[in-house]
Amino acid sequence: MSHDLAQLAKERGIRYFMISFTDLFGYQRAKLVPAAAIADIQKDGAGFAGLATWLDMTPAHPDMLGMADPAGIIQLPWKKEVAWVPADCAMENKPVPQSPRVVLKTLVDRAAKLGLRVKTGVECEFFLINQDGTAISDSKDQGSKPCYDQQALMRRYDVIAEICDYMLELGWEPYQNDHEDANGQFEMNWIFDDALVTADRHAFFKFMARSVAEKHGMRATFMPKPFPTLTGNGCHAHISVWDAATGKTNMFADKTDEMGLSKQGYNFLGGIMKHAEALAAITNPTINSYKRINAPRTISGATWSPNSVTWTGNNRTHMVRVPGPGRFELRLPDGAVNPYLLQAVILAAGLDGIDNNCHPGKRYDIDMYQEGHTITDAPKLPLNLLDAIRAFEKDQSLREALGTDFSSSYIKLKQREWNSFSTHFTQWELDNTLDI
């Protein structure tokens, strides 16, 4: 594929390029550039004011430039005259170290120097709701165990099939779509790939799902817990590591091991377990995230989300499960996770585990929802965003692995978010405190 965007415009009939970057809070920002101007923009970058987005900047900062990465270009299947291009943020001819895609690319390069190529897949869950966000879009979807409900799935066939058709057209190799465990909730899966490719596709998928839902008069939300009694939106990540040279030898696989994991696989998993409490600040980045992690049982019978730092075999009640040889599934992240920071923090924690020969600790083969109270030596996940921020702040090695500029900016803005939440008065406070 040509990396000359002007040439691509001529070949593909592209009229506009959407130069897009993702900020620290996961919001996607873009400039729409006409094809006639794309040659200069590809060379010089699209200008943004960093302060106007969720980045740790001031009005005095110079222009931040979105430098288009043509390797990640995706022509919008529903509007082919527009092409989405992920951008790396730069300022004064240097990468912006707090930019999420820059953070991820730095860690991908570090892994490559160790001869490793991290490949991941994500399971994106979302609700299709009405336009004002007050209820699910399908009033007939009322079952107490709605998971895999084929009638409810087919009532939303037009939306789900359109998104899946687009993924097929883009070559993502989607392989299944289903109605998930909550009323109005769906999950769509496509094949795993290199961490950066998965992050770009994850970012685009959220944009695409929202766009298609809007086209059909609905709204797609990835909010972790939009409805108190329903199962929340997870974003489980499947992780494996391959040789950097060919990408064909699974470095996590060992046929002689009971779980099918190599020593390096156990070390990588050990890094995830070691940093789990701090990891939550990235994988579960909102106030609402902790309504999912620490939720009471939902009407379907299970939350499908962890609250302790434990791992197991093929058992969905733990934070990490090993469903088969040569890979494991991290069940901690939720729908609000930043696509680039999710991959970055997985790499940061896992590579630290390899560097320091970490062991994941004891494997528990119990039902955590029924017997979790019997485990007394496993750390608990944070109860709220403030606890997660504090855990991240204390985890020096993880902060350094992600980059001190990024980490300090992230902590600063997330602490500000928590403080804003803390000043907000709620109906609960009035109901429970007014007459004290």
Side-chain angles (χ1 to χ4, degrees):
M1 182 188 79
S2 170
H3 282 186
D4 183 330
L5 294 179
Q7 181 63 34
L8 280 174
K10 294 176 183 176
E11 293 172 0
R12 299 187 186 183
I14 297 168
R15 294 180 58 211
Y16 288 94
F17 290 87
M18 186 177 289
I19 309 302
S20 174
F21 76 92
T22 300
D23 68 21
L24 286 174
F25 282 13
Y27 289 97
Q28 294 182 50
R29 315 290 182 165
K31 287 265 183 102
L32 196 62
V33 177
I38 196 60
D40 288 340
I41 294 296
Q42 183 172 5
K43 181 169 76 71
D44 300 327
F48 296 87
L51 174 70
T53 73
W54 289 113
L55 290 171
D56 182 20
M57 295 183 185
T58 73
H61 275 86
D63 282 349
M64 184 179 73
L65 301 172
M67 306 303 297
D69 183 352
I73 187 172
I74 300 175
Q75 198 165 351
L76 273 56
W78 66 94
K79 190 179 281 294
K80 288 187 167 58
E81 64 191 38
V82 179
W84 179 88
V85 190
D88 297 321
C89 297
M91 189 177 287
E92 297 183 320
N93 298 315
K94 295 178 183 177
V96 174
Q98 63 176 284
S99 169
R101 198 171 189 267
V102 170
V103 173
L104 173 56
K105 289 178 78 171
T106 300
L107 284 155
V108 168
D109 290 345
R110 186 184 157 213
K113 289 174 183 175
L114 297 173
L116 305 175
R117 188 170 165 182
V118 179
K119 295 188 179 185
T120 60
V122 290
E123 299 178 6
C124 287
E125 295 176 350
F126 61 96
F127 283 83
L128 289 174
I129 59 176
N130 60 15
Q131 290 181 338
D132 66 7
T134 57
I136 63 171
S137 64
D138 182 1
S139 61
K140 295 179 182 178
D141 190 351
Q142 295 296 329
S144 59
K145 280 194 176 288
C147 204
Y148 315 123
D149 185 324
Q150 70 177 18
Q151 205 70 34
L153 177 64
M154 290 306 291
R155 282 198 297 271
R156 288 293 169 259
Y157 173 84
D158 288 351
V159 176
I160 302 302
E162 184 172 343
I163 296 170
C164 191
D165 285 345
Y166 292 154
M167 289 195 285
L168 287 164
E169 182 181 330
L170 293 169
W172 292 12
E173 298 181 59
Y175 55 89
Q176 62 184 15
N177 313 290
D178 68 69
H179 187 296
E180 266 299 313
D181 193 61
N183 307 109
Q185 186 185 45
F186 299 87
E187 178 180 301
M188 305 185 73
N189 306 123
W190 65 91
I191 200 165
F192 71 102
D193 212 314
D194 291 331
L196 182 61
V197 173
T198 293
D200 281 339
R201 289 178 176 176
H202 184 184
F204 186 82
F205 177 83
K206 295 179 80 170
F207 167 56
M208 176 165 62
R210 292 188 181 112
S211 299
V212 174
E214 287 175 6
K215 174 182 168 183
H216 289 268
M218 304 172 210
R219 188 171 177 178
T221 179
F222 296 84
M223 182 178 177
K225 189 79 168 176
F227 303 104
T229 61
L230 300 181
T231 304
N233 283 322
C235 185
H236 306 151
H238 291 260
I239 305 155
S240 56
V241 172
W242 304 68
D243 72 295
T246 68
K248 294 180 180 179
T249 301
N250 188 338
M251 308 294 284
F252 273 12
D254 182 351
K255 293 180 180 178
T256 67
D257 179 72
E258 177 186 7
M259 303 297 292
L261 284 181
S262 66
K263 181 181 182 300
Q264 198 169 57
Y266 279 113
N267 289 156
F268 196 103
L269 175 54
I272 297 288
M273 302 301 288
K274 170 186 172 183
H275 296 290
E277 293 164 89
L279 215 69
I282 305 292
T283 58
N284 307 83
T286 70
I287 302 292
N288 180 257
S289 294
Y290 298 86
K291 300 289 198 304
R292 168 184 170 267
I293 288 181
N294 297 297
R297 184 176 297 181
T298 61
I299 61 172
S300 70
T303 64
W304 302 107
S305 58
N307 58 24
S308 299
V309 183
T310 57
W311 74 282
T312 187
N314 199 352
N315 176 337
R316 287 181 168 86
T317 65
H318 293 255
M319 189 188 83
V320 175
R321 73 170 178 137
V322 183
R327 65 186 174 97
F328 63 83
E329 177 191 33
L330 177 63
R331 298 178 60 79
L332 179 59
D334 63 43
V337 70
N338 186 309
Y340 298 99
L341 296 183
L342 169 60
Q343 303 300 328
V345 81
I346 287 171
L347 265 73
L351 294 178
D352 181 70
I354 290 175
D355 288 344
N356 292 287
N357 198 30
C358 293
H359 190 274
K362 183 178 179 180
R363 188 182 94 214
Y364 290 98
D365 295 323
I366 65 171
D367 182 341
M368 284 296 290
Y369 299 157
Q370 299 295 326
E371 304 171 71
H373 64 280
T374 65
I375 298 176
T376 58
D377 57 348
K380 291 289 186 182
L381 289 166
L383 287 171
N384 52 52
L385 181 60
L386 179 61
D387 287 349
I389 295 167
R390 287 172 172 168
F392 183 53
E393 199 167 15
K394 290 178 183 176
D395 195 328
Q396 182 178 351
S397 58
L398 185 64
R399 284 190 288 108
E400 290 177 351
L402 288 164
T404 54
D405 286 333
F406 158 77
S407 296
S408 61
S409 293
Y410 188 81
I411 290 168
K412 176 181 175 180
L413 293 186
K414 281 294 169 182
Q415 183 69 57
R416 189 181 298 169
E417 181 181 9
W418 175 264
N419 292 342
S420 174
F421 168 71
S422 298
T423 62
H424 177 68
F425 282 78
T426 65
Q427 187 61 44
W428 186 95
E429 292 171 272
L430 292 173
D431 292 342
N432 288 275
T433 321
L434 203 60
D435 293 320
I436 283 181

